Amino acid sequence: MAVSKTPAPKPSKDDGIDTGLVRSLADILKETGLTEIEVERGELRIRVARELTVAAGPVTYAAAPAAPAAPAPAPVAVSMPSDPATIVAKAGEQVKSPMVGTAYLKPSPEAGNFVQPGDAVKKGQTLLIVEAMKTMNPIQAPRDGVVVEVLVGDAQPVEFGEPLVLLEG
């Protein structure tokens, strides 16, 4: 940034404030496009600032979505995998994701699922895997029981606390 050097202005006798210095600082603001500048000399401190006015653009509003003409059809119950958002107070214990990641229902792409609905599981048995930051984390059965439903799909992103499997018994 190039700043032109002008001879130092002579101080005026107005309350000990160097009006020439203030004018020079104001000129520097104009030349450089800055919005404020501050100078300190001994106990004297001078701050010069300018206000910028920004013209607001026109406000536009999006049209409200049209109301549906007929009621939407009732959701169809789908067995594995179902959408966790559609689960409403099902009996059993939800095994929830302890982290954000990607759920995998099988140990490898060519292998079968760890568990299926109706399978009896033992405490500590792997139900599925959640990958987080390139680490495969086995999600284990918290107790003995029967898999009622697998609530996520293979390779589906999952959130912390999202129900993954529903156990009963």
Side-chain angles (χ1 to χ4, degrees):
M1 162 175 41
V3 177
S4 62
K5 294 191 177 194
T6 56
K10 296 182 182 178
S12 68
K13 303 295 180 204
D14 302 334
D15 299 327
I17 296 176
D18 186 351
T19 56
L21 176 60
V22 173
R23 290 182 193 278
S24 294
L25 293 174
D27 289 340
I28 291 172
L29 286 179
K30 287 179 190 173
E31 291 173 13
T32 61
L34 295 172
T35 56
E36 79 178 56
I37 190 168
E38 189 171 326
V39 174
E40 196 170 329
R41 287 187 184 166
E43 291 185 19
L44 176 67
R45 185 171 146 192
I46 299 174
R47 180 177 165 267
V48 179
R50 65 183 174 124
E51 285 187 23
L52 293 178
T53 54
V54 178
V59 177
T60 57
Y61 297 96
V76 177
V78 177
S79 64
M80 189 193 100
S82 68
D83 183 5
T86 63
I87 298 169
V88 180
K90 293 188 178 182
E93 177 183 352
Q94 295 177 342
V95 178
K96 297 181 178 183
S97 178
M99 64 198 72
V100 174
T102 304
Y104 292 102
L105 304 180
K106 21 186 158 177
S108 66
E110 56 280 342
N113 289 0
F114 285 105
V115 293
Q116 298 283 339
D119 287 354
V121 295
K122 297 283 185 193
K123 180 179 180 177
Q125 180 179 340
T126 300
L127 302 173
L128 54 92
I129 294 173
V130 174
E131 176 192 6
M133 296 178 15
K134 307 280 184 200
T135 302
M136 300 298 180
N137 303 284
I139 306 304
Q140 300 174 341
R143 60 177 176 79
D144 291 354
V146 176
V147 175
V148 175
E149 187 175 2
V150 177
L151 305 171
V152 293
D154 193 39
Q156 175 183 327
V158 294
E159 296 293 325
F160 171 80
E162 181 175 335
L164 303 172
V165 175
L166 190 61
L167 287 183
E168 189 176 76

